[in-house]
């Protein structure tokens, strides 16, 4: 039996962040992983899918014919594309492995270490974990003063649809494809579904159908964001079944046949080569025997916790297994905070007010803080400015003027920053300063005074701030189709 200061179950982004922070505190750390190092964040999620998106963007740009040059015979081979993605994954796994190997044994002046244990973990009681070894490791019992559950999540499936991983797939199976499907249907028009629709539409080898049960795709975002993304998908040949209910989906003669009911009541049946189910994610807690540890699980299958502590105070949960926000950044922050809560007794908890996300669509979407829809649902008075990419010099130079910057501030003299949405090329580069300013409760005046390099997309953010102050270079009175300045209030 091995005893540690802290034992972490799961070597994905959250678990790795927790392990390294515990090492910072000089603790003896055990991290248990039954699958590949890096978890879904590396293999079936952020890194793999975004690498695929980048490759699809490279391809679509190579095929453009509006830049003064034409590339002839641009060939594309899916196995080679997948190989490129696998190389990217391999690089990250090698980095993780190298660090674990370096810290696997005590060194002079550094007595603490990190032990990587391979196998499936389950609790015997609240202080003991049994790890069933795999072909390269032995089974053993582990005791620890603290445990952190960082087992991540997996794609949600539906009882009425049989996912075989070949014809009917989830995001976990995308890298198993041997070639571009001639046709594909994606069930679910959230971020993941829309990202895969964008990727395969960019490559131009697959007819894509997207089943959207809501009035519009990305229903959690503002209508103007959703409209641009939807229009661009349809321009690439994607058929979006808006306000459609899936009635059935099954494999017939090595094809996937699905039937939908439109909002008008009409039914439509279509056959495609592949189907992708993208209806959310569920926590990976099966097989952990949490009941033996006394950990309470709620009706949604999530581990109840307070400040990342479960109902058993020395057992913590972090990342996808404890929150419905399946983001690498959240998992890493929670991993660090959990360790700091244990060893510094800090009462600080992560704040998500300045949570930022990137949606890899066409164009990409960067989001932070509140959008208009959320502000109105909470009846928060606000002021908003929108600055079109057509006026941003860097976007003009890139020949990529499809998009806009939208900035929300409080409706008072302080005009504190509430949130921002940027839709367009290089959108992900605009977030950092605004994230810090939201965290520090800054005014839009501070944002307007920042010095930006020229030309850069961030100049559009600065001009958005200046519009709210009435000092912008381009005026909404002149460029009415590209600029917007509004104020939203509510009657008692």
């Amino acid at each position: 039996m091995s005893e540690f200061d802290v034992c972490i179950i799961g070597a994905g982004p959250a678990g790795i962040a927790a392990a390294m922070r515990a090492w910072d505190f000089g603790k003896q750390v055990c991290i248990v992983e039954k699958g590949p190092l890096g978890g879904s964040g590396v293999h079936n999620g952020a890194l793999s899918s975004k690498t695929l998106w980048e490759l699809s963007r490279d391809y679509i740009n190579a095929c453009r014919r509006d830049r003064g040059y034409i590339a002839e015979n641009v060939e594309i081979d899916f196995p080679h594309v997948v190989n490129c993605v696998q190389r990217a994954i391999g690089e990250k796994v090698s980095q993780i492995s190298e660090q674990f190997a370096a810290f696997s044994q005590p060194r002079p002046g550094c007595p603490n270490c990190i032990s990587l244990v391979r196998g499936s973990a389950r609790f015997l009681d609240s202080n003991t974990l049994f790890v069933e070894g795999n072909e390269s490791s032995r089974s053993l019992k582990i005791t620890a003063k603290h445990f952190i559950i960082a087992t991540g999540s997996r794609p949600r499936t539906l009882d009425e649809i049989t996912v075989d991983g070949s014809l009917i797939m989830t995001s976990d199976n995308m890298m198993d494809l041997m070639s571009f499907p001639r046709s594909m249907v994606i069930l679910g028009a959230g971020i993941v579904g829309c990202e895969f629709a964008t990727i395969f539409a960019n490559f131009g080898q697959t007819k894509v159908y997207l089943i959207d049960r809501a009035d519009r795709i990305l229903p959690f975002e503002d209508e103007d964001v959703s409209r641009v993304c939807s229009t661009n998908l349809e321009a690439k040949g994607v058929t979006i079944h808006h306000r459609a209910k899936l009635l059935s989906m099954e494999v017939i003669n090595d094809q996937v046949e699905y039937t939908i009911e439109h909002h008008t009541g009409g039914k439509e049946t279509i056959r495609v080569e592949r189907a992708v189910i993208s209806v959310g994610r569920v926590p990976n807690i099966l097989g952990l025997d949490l009941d033996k540890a006394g950990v309470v699980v709620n009706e949604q299958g999530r581990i109840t916790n307070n400040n990342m502590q479960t109902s058993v105070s020395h057992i913590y949960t972090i990342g996808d297994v404890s929150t419905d926000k399946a983001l690498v950044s959240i998992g890493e922050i929670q991993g660090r905070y959990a360790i700091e809560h244990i060893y510094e007794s800090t009462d600080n908890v992560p704040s998500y007010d300045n949570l930022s996300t990137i949606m890899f669509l066409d164009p990409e979407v960067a989001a932070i803080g509140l959008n208009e829809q959320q502000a109105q649902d909470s009846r928060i008075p606000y002021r908003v400015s929108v600055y079109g990419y057509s006026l941003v010099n860097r976007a003009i130079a890139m020949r990529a003027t499809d998009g806009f910057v939208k900035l929300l501030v409080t409706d008072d003299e302080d005009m504190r920053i509430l949130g921002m949405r940027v839709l367009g090329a290089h959108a992900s580069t605009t977030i950092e300063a605004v994230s810090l300013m939201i965290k520090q409760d800054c005014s839009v005046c501070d944002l307007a005074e920042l010095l930006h390099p020229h030309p850069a997309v961030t100049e559009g953010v600065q001009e958005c701030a200046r519009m709210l102050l009435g000092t912008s270079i381009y005026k909404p009175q002149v460029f009415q189709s590209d600029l917007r300045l509004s104020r939203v209030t509510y009657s008692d």
Side-chain angles (χ1 to χ4, degrees), residues 373-398:
Q373 183 170 284
Q374 292 167 327
Q376 291 177 19
D377 288 345
S378 300
R379 296 183 66 79
I380 298 173
Y382 66 91
R383 301 177 193 180
V384 58
S385 61
V386 178
Y387 196 88
Y389 257 46
S390 59
L391 298 177
V392 178
N393 285 8
R394 183 61 184 272
I396 294 171
M398 295 173 65

Side-chain angles (χ1 to χ4, degrees), residues 153-365:
S153 62
R154 64 187 184 278
R156 183 187 301 277
T157 56
L158 302 174
D159 293 339
E160 61 271 23
I161 299 176
T162 301
V163 175
D164 59 15
S166 175
L167 296 177
I168 301 181
M169 309 177 296
T170 68
S171 57
D172 282 358
N173 311 120
M174 301 304 287
M175 292 300 98
D176 296 330
L177 286 169
M178 301 302 294
S179 61
F180 285 107
R182 287 180 295 177
S183 55
M184 169 188 292
V185 62
I186 300 172
L187 176 62
I191 295 176
V192 175
C194 288
E195 284 185 348
F196 276 115
T198 300
I199 289 167
F200 282 91
N202 282 348
F203 281 123
Q205 311 298 306
T206 306
K207 170 59 184 178
V208 180
Y209 299 86
L210 185 62
I211 300 176
D212 179 16
R213 67 179 181 180
D215 291 339
R216 54 185 173 83
I217 66 171
L218 307 172
F220 47 85
E221 277 298 342
D222 289 337
E223 192 276 335
D224 51 2
V225 173
S226 173
R227 182 179 64 251
V228 172
C229 294
S230 179
T231 299
N232 287 352
L233 280 174
E234 291 173 329
K236 295 176 185 290
V238 176
T239 297
I240 304 177
H241 300 303
H242 292 290
R243 299 167 65 185
K245 177 182 178 182
L246 180 69
L247 299 180
S248 65
M249 180 180 289
E250 58 185 333
V251 175
I252 298 177
N253 297 330
D254 291 329
Q255 289 189 312
V256 180
E257 181 178 281
Y258 70 95
T259 300
I260 56 173
E261 181 178 2
H262 297 286
H263 70 280
T264 57
K267 296 179 177 61
E268 183 177 5
T269 299
I270 298 174
R271 282 196 181 186
V272 293
E273 283 195 359
R274 297 287 190 276
V276 180
I277 309 302
S278 180
V279 290
R281 300 183 69 85
V282 294
N284 285 325
I285 59 174
L286 294 177
L288 289 176
D289 288 350
L290 295 173
D291 56 327
K292 294 181 179 179
V295 174
V296 176
V297 179
N298 64 22
E299 294 180 355
Q300 289 74 40
R302 298 196 179 277
I303 302 172
T304 57
N305 65 76
N306 179 30
N307 199 21
M308 287 163 286
Q309 287 176 286
T310 68
S311 53
V312 180
S313 61
H314 66 276
I315 300 178
Y316 288 67
T317 62
I318 57 176
D320 292 6
V321 77
S322 63
T323 178
D324 59 357
K325 297 181 177 67
L327 297 172
V328 168
S329 55
I330 288 183
E332 290 180 344
I333 286 292
Q334 288 185 340
R336 297 172 64 86
Y337 270 74
I339 294 297
E340 290 165 5
H341 187 266
I342 293 170
Y343 294 115
E344 289 187 333
S345 299
T346 177
D347 291 328
N348 292 335
V349 296
S351 171
Y352 304 121
D353 291 340
N354 64 331
L355 173 65
S356 58
T357 59
I358 307 169
M359 291 169 260
F360 289 78
L361 308 172
D362 183 20
E364 65 183 85
V365 180

Side-chain angles (χ1 to χ4, degrees), residues 97-116:
S97 300
E98 181 180 355
Q99 182 146 283
F100 280 158
F103 294 152
S104 62
Q105 299 294 333
R107 295 179 296 170
C110 185
N112 57 314
C113 63
I114 299 176
S115 297
L116 173 62

